[in-house]
Amino acid sequence: MAPEKIIIDTDPGVDDILALLLALSASAEEIELLLISLTFGNIDVENCLRNTVSLFHVLEKELAWRKQTGRPEGYGSLRRYKPVVAVGADRPLEDQILMADYFHGADGLGGVHTKAPHFTPAELSRHLFHSPSADSAPIPPDSPTPLPHEALFTPSRSPAHLAILEQLKRHPPHTVTIIAIGPLTNLALAAAHDPETFLLAKEVVIMSGTIELEGNVTPTAEFNAYADAVAAARVFALTSPEPTRTMPPGRSLASYPPVLSQRLNLTIFPLDITTMHLLNEGEFDALTAPLREAGSPLALWASVFIHATFRKMESLYVAAAGGEGVKRVQDVDISLHDPLCVWYMITKAVSGWKGVEGRDVRVDATGQWTRGMYVVDRRTRKKATEEEVQGNEEVQGDCDGWLHPRWGNRVRQMVESPDRDGFGRAMIQRIFL
């Protein structure tokens, strides 16, 4: 069976790195990672690049250590394929920039570059990548020889949104899935630049938003949706039979053509499902402590930022309990928001994945208090039929086309996975063992 061809659009903080590791540790028959496209989000895009290059630097050391110690190399996808890495958006389309460094640390990985500097490469070869501030920055004539970890990926001089379109053009239509686990700015830029090519994606899978749960940056908004609500609204509009009906009012990018050949196949993983998929600290330590003692570079590196995240969560638990709180380290969990989207791509053929099809989910891009909110229609009225409406007239008593058969967005909301309780363990086993 052919592997799933994927692009991962990401803002590498802790759970993003785990998502990338999960994809790269897949077998060559499961996943072919074509492109890692970077966006601002958890941290600024320069730190996103440093974290990504460091990831490959550590993986180069890990593969050498596994070979030297006679362990199974694993990472079949990484060893067979060579993903492109492209630098993308450094700010949202219109909103004020927001980053989550308050949670992930200033470097996005809990201070790993200062706590364990030997895992950060001295040379990031920044000149080999697109620069958001200098689109045509020249390559120095005496460029250094590529470092060993650079053999594992290909730097891109194209901005991320163009690199996404390049991959979609390079492969047969509807064979490449885009997994977006950060703000959707790169995707919105790609769709605005060439909407018909963007619609050649087999599926766009996003970790974004919340439906029934409270938000994690405002009472109603999840971070990725809030960080660039205009971009999210523009991507969602491509799922509508009439995209102009749900386009946000922003003017940063041109409108889509009035007629498009097809609708976007969009699958959303909101907080409602991702929050419930957990990694427990006690279980993480039980599985990885022997590897750290044996000298695994990957286990030693990852434990720095994963434990930093456990400590952050512990402080939040204690604060929520009014000073009382977690007494045992085994009680601390972190949600695996981003890795769940990759797990879906690896195991989507397994029974147990459940989604709600055709939900009209719209993103509020301009609300004073509701920016980034996922708005759904909770009324009990049924949608009108084609026979009950004439042309583009609204349904009587309904504004903005919530009950109209052709208006509104059409997304798939994932609500259940095959093994919620076992996912954290399965992920750690794949990545580290």
Side-chain angles (χ1 to χ4, degrees):
M1 186 173 64
E4 292 280 356
K5 298 179 185 297
I6 66 171
I7 293 168
I8 297 182
D9 189 76
T10 177
D11 54 337
V14 174
D15 56 334
D16 300 74
I17 289 292
L18 289 174
L20 290 171
L21 285 168
L22 184 57
L24 293 167
S25 65
S27 73
E29 293 71 36
E30 291 174 323
I31 292 292
E32 180 181 358
L33 179 55
L34 304 172
L35 168 68
I36 299 171
S37 53
L38 303 177
T39 177
F40 80 96
N42 288 317
I43 30 128
D44 63 273
V45 76
E46 293 297 326
N47 268 307
C48 289
L49 178 61
R50 178 167 67 159
N51 292 346
T52 304
V53 174
S54 296
L55 167 66
F56 284 104
H57 179 65
V58 172
L59 284 174
E60 183 270 331
K61 292 178 177 293
E62 175 72 10
L63 292 177
W65 175 79
R66 292 187 180 191
K67 186 174 182 179
Q68 181 182 1
T69 57
R71 299 168 186 264
E73 287 184 277
Y75 284 82
S77 179
L78 172 64
R79 289 186 290 112
R80 180 176 298 183
Y81 310 114
K82 187 177 181 180
V84 175
V85 175
V87 177
D90 61 352
R91 59 181 62 85
L93 296 180
E94 296 182 13
D95 300 315
Q96 183 178 0
I97 192 168
L98 170 74
M99 293 187 292
D101 50 3
Y102 60 89
F103 184 85
H104 293 272
D107 65 357
L109 293 178
V112 72
H113 301 294
T114 53
K115 295 175 182 176
H118 53 290
F119 288 127
T120 303
E123 172 57 60
L124 297 181
S125 301
R126 183 64 181 87
H127 61 279
L128 298 178
F129 296 87
H130 160 74
S131 171
S133 59
D135 289 353
S136 57
I139 297 176
D142 55 347
S143 299
T145 302
L147 299 171
H149 60 269
E150 291 172 0
L152 300 179
F153 68 92
T154 301
S156 174
R157 295 287 295 167
S158 296
H161 72 282
L162 295 184
I164 290 171
L165 295 172
E166 289 167 7
Q167 292 295 334
L168 293 173
K169 291 175 183 177
R170 186 171 299 159
H171 295 88
H174 310 299
T175 61
V176 176
T177 296
I178 302 172
I179 302 174
I181 51 179
L184 297 182
T185 315
N186 286 336
L187 274 63
L189 289 168
H193 186 84
D194 188 346
E196 289 294 348
T197 295
F198 186 75
L199 291 173
L200 294 178
K202 177 181 178 181
E203 185 178 9
V204 173
V205 177
I206 66 171
M207 190 283 117
S208 179
T210 183
I211 305 292
E212 302 292 345
L213 290 187
E214 67 274 11
N216 58 9
V217 290
T218 74
T220 61
E222 177 274 335
F223 174 82
N224 289 338
Y226 185 90
D228 197 338
V230 172
R234 288 184 63 97
V235 172
F236 274 57
L238 287 171
T239 71
S240 173
E242 298 184 21
T244 56
R245 299 286 183 182
T246 57
M247 279 283 284
R251 301 178 180 178
S252 55
L253 297 175
S255 298
Y256 298 129
V259 178
L260 292 168
S261 64
Q262 57 197 300
R263 294 189 293 111
L264 182 67
N265 180 18
L266 180 65
T267 298
I268 64 172
F269 281 75
L271 293 178
D272 307 64
I273 182 172
T274 62
T275 302
M276 314 309 172
H277 290 76
L278 302 171
L279 175 63
N280 178 266
E281 183 168 16
E283 187 168 48
F284 172 76
D285 283 339
L287 290 170
T288 61
L291 294 171
R292 296 197 300 273
E293 292 170 4
S296 162
L298 179 59
L300 289 166
W301 179 66
S303 69
V304 175
F305 56 80
I306 292 176
H307 279 112
T309 308
F310 282 128
R311 298 286 70 72
K312 180 66 177 181
M313 288 305 304
E314 185 176 38
S315 70
L316 295 176
Y317 292 166
V318 171
E324 299 298 325
V326 178
K327 302 297 185 182
R328 296 177 298 124
V329 71
Q330 290 90 339
D331 288 336
V332 184
D333 303 296
I334 56 176
S335 293
L336 300 171
H337 303 290
D338 297 339
L340 189 62
C341 295
V342 175
W343 190 239
Y344 165 70
M345 292 307 303
I346 294 173
T347 65
K348 62 189 303 186
V350 175
S351 63
W353 287 106
K354 293 182 181 179
V356 179
E357 302 287 340
R359 293 210 74 176
D360 186 357
V361 181
R362 309 186 193 183
V363 183
D364 188 346
T366 59
Q368 180 180 4
W369 310 118
T370 55
R371 165 182 155 192
M373 179 181 179
Y374 277 16
V375 183
V376 298
D377 189 354
R378 291 181 170 82
R379 297 174 296 180
T380 57
R381 295 178 61 185
K382 69 179 183 66
K383 280 188 175 290
T385 64
E386 290 284 354
E387 292 74 22
E388 291 171 332
V389 299
Q390 298 294 326
N392 289 326
E393 294 179 3
E394 291 187 349
V395 178
Q396 186 175 5
D398 175 56
C399 295
D400 302 318
W402 289 95
L403 301 177
H404 197 286
R406 295 188 306 277
W407 296 8
N409 297 329
R410 304 286 188 271
V411 309
R412 179 188 303 106
Q413 178 194 344
M414 298 307 298
V415 296
E416 191 173 324
S417 74
D419 186 12
R420 185 183 76 179
D421 295 335
F423 171 52
R425 169 179 287 271
M427 181 194 71
I428 294 302
Q429 290 174 332
R430 276 182 169 250
I431 290 173
F432 295 99
L433 301 181

